[in-house]
Amino acid sequence: MPQSEQNIQDTIRPDASPDVPGPGDAVQQPLIRFEKVVKQYGDNVVLRELDFTVQPGQRVTLIGPSGSGKTTILRLLMTLEQIDGGVIWVNGDPLSHMYKGDHLVPANEKYQRAVRKKIGMVFQQFNLFPNMTVRRNITEAPIHSLGVPRGEADERAAELLDMVGLKERIDEHPTRLSGGQQQRVAIARALAMRPEILLLDEVTSALDPELVAGVLDVLREIARTTDITMLAVTHEMGFARDVSHRVLMFDHGRILEDGPPDQIFGEPREERTKSFLHAVLESG
Amino acid sequence: MDWDFIVEAMPALLAGLRYTVLATVMGYALALVLGLVVAMVRKGAPPTVAKTVFWIMEFIRCTPLLVQLFFVFYVLPSAGIALTPLTAGVIALGVHYAAYTAEVYRSGLDGVPKGQWEAARALSLPGVRTWTSVILPQAIRRVIPALGNYLIAMFKDTPLLFAITVPELLFEANRLGGENFKYLETISAVGVLFIVVSVLSAIGIRFLERRYAAV
Ligand SMILES: Nc1ncnc2c1ncn2[C@@H]1O[C@H](COP(=O)(O)OP(=O)(O)OP(=O)(O)O)[C@@H](O)[C@H]1O
Ligand SMILES: [Mg+2]
């Protein structure tokens, strides 16, 4: 489904009629659209006019060799990096730009903060706040960025911690938790913002092998029980196969192959994909 | 050594010590707040503002405290800003030391991993909240010992206030010594009082460190 659909999607230009977003076309509108996205660091062009779309509820795994731009794509979506060309659309709204009249101009900080609320991210290094308890790690953003009342935020934190199996650790500081536990708290913290899109950047890569399964189980559970849209960079091919609807194989900032996991992992069309998967399976 | 004279002079010396401690505490409070503001401006403000503040601080660090005291107390009045000796002393001490505490804060801010800023951003935490609940608590915790050292250093610089007629400890000791020709007693008493207060503050700082500083 994704390949043919993507071709159709690519012919629809959302900026052709930006000011008439009728409820009807919301159904077909992709949740995420990269349109000729360019990102470069100095002379190093990481993304060269990258185009792709993701439908609401779709779970996408990004694979590809080191330096192929996977992290860059997630960081652009999280607005942790500024875009150098093209437009990223989230739910029909430009993420990196805003309308001034009917022109698109680079978005200011306030606009980005608003659009960003739909997106959550879990980092390879967890990045929990060490000066706060587990509870406050989870409630801080809902309270101060969404305006959720404290009592409600606390309740939600308890529920989320229960889901990731860490209910008893709510009053501890994250430094006292194992890496796997910290990562599960980080997942709960991201979900507390009720994002539509969850970005996962190699969330198990920094973990000792025996802690990986616990984190992946939590993610499987989220995939099973919610319709949150996921973009995950991972080397856990088994997990990718179970959970994702679609796999994107990147190479040098381009999409080399795009298809359902069974096809990509089972019968990859490209030589590069084959050798990449071979290398990953060898090392894993 | 005339011990009776020391006992007799003690009330006046302690009154002087009160000024010394008062100037230190207020000057230090000013240095803590101003230094933090400077460090935050240098990290968060537009480059031109940050650069300007950098050069001002560099200038302050490169001129002697005594000259700055004279400037605030004797030169500012000609610009219509007349201050009491104590106020002038506190301002000069606070601004001078802010140039140093700003550097301390800066190293603390630089020590907060980039991932903390990114996590705050990914959670859409408002800028003010990011500073007050994520960045500053972590940054300050790791520089408490270094900040504590400047408290002691500033305390030891307070006798310079003598030069702008603040009736602090050395000022009183000098007065009493001169009036009675007993410099040995009064100046020795100054030394001892400084040691006592320094040791007490060091203990206090150690306590604060153990309570709040990062492990
Ligand atoms: N902050 C940066 N400054 C300069 N170059 C960068 C920066 N971040 C990434 N790059 C470069 O961008 C390219 C893509 O990096 P990216 O991190 O997106 O790759 P990746 O696919 O996530 O790789 P990996 O599998 O190793 O995580 C690389 O060539 C990298 O060197
Ligand atoms: Mg990466």
Side-chain angles (χ1 to χ4, degrees):
Chain A
M1 137 197 140
Q3 276 210 318
S4 58
E5 198 172 270
Q6 200 201 358
N7 292 336
I8 300 166
Q9 292 296 339
D10 282 345
T11 61
I12 306 172
R13 296 185 52 86
D15 51 342
S17 54
D19 39 4
V20 281
D25 48 11
V27 183
Q28 290 166 5
Q29 191 177 56
L31 183 57
I32 300 168
R33 160 187 291 272
F34 274 55
E35 189 188 349
K36 300 205 180 325
V37 169
V38 176
K39 176 66 193 173
Q40 56 190 69
Y41 295 102
D43 291 341
N44 179 9
V45 182
V46 180
L47 305 178
R48 202 185 296 268
E49 306 210 333
L50 178 68
D51 287 303
F52 74 96
T53 61
V54 174
Q55 293 303 312
Q58 210 172 42
R59 295 189 289 274
V60 183
T61 299
L62 283 60
I63 61 171
S66 182
S68 58
K70 308 177 298 288
T71 296
T72 303
I73 288 166
L74 298 195
R75 290 174 60 85
L76 280 170
L77 264 169
M78 197 66 259
T79 67
L80 295 175
E81 301 286 350
Q82 297 300 318
I83 196 170
D84 294 313
V87 185
I88 299 173
W89 305 82
V90 173
N91 234 338
D93 296 321
L95 173 69
S96 41
H97 296 68
M98 57 191 202
Y99 284 109
K100 200 168 192 178
D102 46 10
H103 289 293
L104 284 178
V105 297
N108 61 23
E109 178 57 29
K110 188 175 161 222
Y111 177 89
Q112 289 207 341
R113 186 174 303 137
V115 193
R116 206 159 52 211
K117 282 179 184 163
K118 297 175 186 158
I119 307 173
M121 182 159 182
V122 182
F123 301 87
Q124 189 174 342
Q125 299 296 340
F126 331 136
N127 295 349
L128 291 176
F129 304 132
N131 57 316
M132 302 180 192
T133 60
V134 165
R135 181 203 314 271
R136 235 189 101 200
N137 261 279
I138 299 174
T139 59
E140 184 74 5
I143 292 173
H144 296 286
S145 132
L146 299 181
V148 175
R150 186 173 300 274
E152 205 175 296
D154 278 345
E155 247 170 66
R156 172 104 172 115
E159 275 169 32
L160 286 165
L161 279 176
D162 195 23
M163 184 195 75
V164 302
L166 291 169
K167 186 167 62 178
E168 289 80 25
R169 315 302 290 271
I170 192 162
D171 290 314
E172 285 184 50
H173 280 261
T175 39
R176 313 230 352 220
L177 305 181
S178 74
Q181 291 167 334
Q182 290 192 46
Q183 194 59 297
R184 275 139 67 192
V185 172
I187 293 168
R189 177 176 73 171
L191 291 178
M193 289 292 284
R194 300 184 188 277
E196 290 173 45
I197 302 166
L198 186 61
L199 308 174
L200 306 161
D201 190 8
E202 302 199 33
V203 297
T204 56
S205 300
L207 300 178
D208 291 338
E210 72 272 19
L211 301 177
V212 170
V215 171
L216 294 183
D217 283 346
V218 165
L219 294 175
R220 279 197 181 87
E221 184 66 10
I222 293 165
R224 196 176 62 79
T225 55
T226 73
D227 55 3
I228 194 165
T229 305
M230 273 191 204
L231 264 68
V233 177
T234 181
H235 296 304
E236 300 290 335
M237 296 306 168
F239 168 78
R241 203 165 189 148
D242 295 349
V243 166
S244 46
H245 299 114
R246 178 179 169 201
V247 177
L248 295 179
M249 165 75 192
F250 282 86
D251 194 29
H252 293 103
R254 291 168 200 276
I255 295 176
L256 195 64
E257 210 164 334
D258 177 357
D262 284 343
Q263 181 254 305
I264 300 278
F265 296 136
E267 41 198 296
R269 281 190 258 280
E270 301 286 334
E271 252 343 283
R272 282 290 288 135
T273 313
K274 270 181 214 165
S275 57
F276 170 75
L277 289 173
H278 191 71
V280 171
L281 291 178
E282 286 280 280
S283 65
Chain B
M1 182 82 88
D2 184 346
W3 294 99
D4 289 341
F5 177 72
I6 293 182
V7 171
E8 216 174 286
M10 207 32 94
L13 289 176
L14 287 178
L17 182 64
R18 234 200 58 182
Y19 271 99
T20 297
V21 170
L22 196 63
T24 307
V25 169
M26 295 198 302
Y28 190 60
L30 181 60
L32 285 184
V33 173
L34 199 59
L36 181 58
V37 171
V38 167
M40 287 172 68
V41 166
R42 287 200 52 199
K43 186 123 188 146
T48 44
V49 180
K51 258 265 131 30
T52 309
V53 170
F54 166 78
W55 283 112
I56 294 173
M57 291 299 122
E58 199 66 13
F59 176 75
I60 291 174
R61 268 196 302 274
C62 292
T63 46
L65 176 54
L66 187 58
V67 176
Q68 291 166 9
L69 280 166
F70 273 43
F71 183 84
V72 173
F73 189 62
Y74 292 115
V75 180
L76 285 189
S78 60
I81 307 170
L83 302 163
T84 67
L86 181 64
T87 310
V90 166
I91 290 175
L93 277 175
V95 170
H96 183 82
Y97 273 88
Y100 291 93
T101 56
E103 286 303 301
V104 172
Y105 284 121
R106 194 168 68 94
S107 74
L109 290 175
D110 289 348
V112 178
K114 205 160 135 267
Q116 294 289 306
W117 291 94
E118 293 185 346
R121 198 170 158 85
L123 290 164
S124 303
L125 269 191
V128 174
R129 197 73 205 168
T130 301
W131 276 105
T132 57
S133 77
V134 177
I135 305 302
L136 288 180
Q138 295 183 55
I140 291 175
R141 205 167 293 202
R142 67 188 76 208
V143 297
I144 286 177
L147 289 175
N149 290 341
Y150 280 116
L151 175 61
I152 308 273
M154 182 189 277
F155 178 61
K156 290 193 297 183
D157 268 351
T158 52
L160 287 172
L161 299 193
F162 179 12
I164 57 165
T165 72
V166 177
E168 45 71 60
L169 183 52
L170 184 64
F171 183 95
E172 286 298 304
N174 186 57
R175 184 177 61 78
L176 292 166
E179 283 168 6
N180 303 283
F181 302 103
K182 300 238 189 255
Y183 283 110
L184 171 66
E185 286 76 3
T186 55
I187 303 299
S188 304
V190 169
V192 171
L193 286 173
F194 262 93
I195 288 174
V196 169
V197 176
S198 285
V199 167
L200 287 179
S201 337
I203 292 172
I205 290 166
R206 191 72 57 78
F207 171 78
L208 282 178
E209 265 175 49
R210 215 170 298 145
R211 181 106 170 59
Y212 295 109
V215 274

